[in-house]
């Protein structure tokens, strides 16, 4: 019996293989002085300006959602969650991210690591980086050591440098599971 089970496990290991996949996502938003606070990675960051956006404006979740769609060779966030749809008004962007993860899973894609760059002049993200990483790891089902996060300024250049907004770039790596014929 034990030999039979071991043989079946060996056959299963041979039957399942993985292809590496990757995706890149980008999002940017302008600040709106009529709003307060910024949301990045589900974390509320106190600031005297908020994000001008149809949803909650979480540019990190938006960029991560697009990166996941890219890894799965799917369309972009605007095709699935258009800002012209009133039901998305002020929506928590984690909903977009969770939908992207489900869609990737249907394509047999599972994330292995995420790397994030947030670009803004102010406020400083240092006190919030750990909480952001923890949110991303929890939602994506990853170990914290597989989520990288860097916060950069734009050295006073462009709209970001003038304090008019922020941008986020996200890269994801994953595995696409394939089944081979079992002999």
């Amino acid at each position: 019996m034990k030999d039979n089970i071991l043989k079946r496990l060996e056959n299963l290991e041979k039957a399942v293989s993985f292809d590496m996949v990757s995706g890149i996502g980008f999002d940017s938003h302008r600040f709106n002085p009529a709003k307060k606070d910024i949301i990045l990675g589900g974390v509320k960051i106190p600031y005297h300006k908020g994000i001008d956006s149809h949803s909650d404006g979480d540019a990190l979740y938006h960029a991560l959602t697009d990166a996941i769609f890219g890894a799965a060779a799917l369309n972009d966030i605007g095709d699935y969650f258009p800002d012209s749809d009133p039901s998305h008004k002020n929506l928590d962007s984690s909903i977009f991210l969770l939908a992207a993860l489900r869609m990737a899973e249907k394509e047999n894609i599972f994330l292995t690591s995420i790397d994030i760059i947030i670009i803004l002049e102010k406020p400083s993200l240092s006190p919030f980086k750990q909480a952001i990483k923890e949110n991303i790891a929890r939602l994506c089902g990853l170990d914290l050591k597989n989520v990288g996060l860097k916060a950069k300024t734009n050295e006073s250049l462009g709209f970001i440098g003038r304090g008019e907004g922020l941008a986020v770039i996200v890269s994801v790596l994953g595995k696409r599971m394939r089944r081979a014929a079992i002999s």
Side-chain angles (χ1 to χ4, degrees), residues 54-91:
H54 185 71
S55 67
D56 66 0
D58 191 327
L60 195 162
Y61 279 172
H62 297 174
L64 178 53
T65 297
D66 265 341
I68 294 166
F69 285 151
L74 297 171
N75 294 338
D76 64 61
I77 191 172
D79 288 334
Y80 301 108
F81 306 103
D83 60 9
S84 59
D85 184 338
S87 70
H88 301 148
K89 184 73 175 157
N90 299 320
L91 198 61

Side-chain angles (χ1 to χ4, degrees), residues 15-126:
V16 177
S17 63
F18 296 94
D19 292 325
M20 295 301 297
V21 295
S22 66
I24 300 170
F26 171 83
D27 196 33
S28 64
H29 285 287
R30 72 174 57 95
F31 288 131
N32 182 341
K35 295 183 176 184
K36 301 293 179 233
D37 305 322
I38 300 167
I39 298 173
L40 287 169
V43 175
K44 186 176 181 180
I45 299 163
Y47 196 52
H48 66 277
K49 300 178 201 175
I51 297 294
D52 198 16
S53 176
H54 185 71
S55 67
D56 66 0
D58 191 327
L60 195 162
Y61 279 172
H62 297 174
L64 178 53
T65 297
D66 265 341
I68 294 166
F69 285 151
L74 297 171
N75 294 338
D76 64 61
I77 191 172
D79 288 334
Y80 301 108
F81 306 103
D83 60 9
S84 59
D85 184 338
S87 70
H88 301 148
K89 184 73 175 157
N90 299 320
L91 198 61
D92 182 327
S93 294
S94 67
I95 292 169
F96 307 146
L97 173 58
L98 292 171
L101 288 165
R102 282 191 303 276
M103 292 167 76
E105 189 174 318
K106 285 181 182 176
E107 299 294 324
N108 291 319
I109 292 176
F110 303 92
L111 297 184
T112 57
S113 66
I114 299 170
D115 195 23
I116 303 160
I117 302 171
I118 303 171
I119 310 162
L120 78 164
E121 293 299 310
K122 292 180 184 175
S124 171
L125 296 183
S126 292

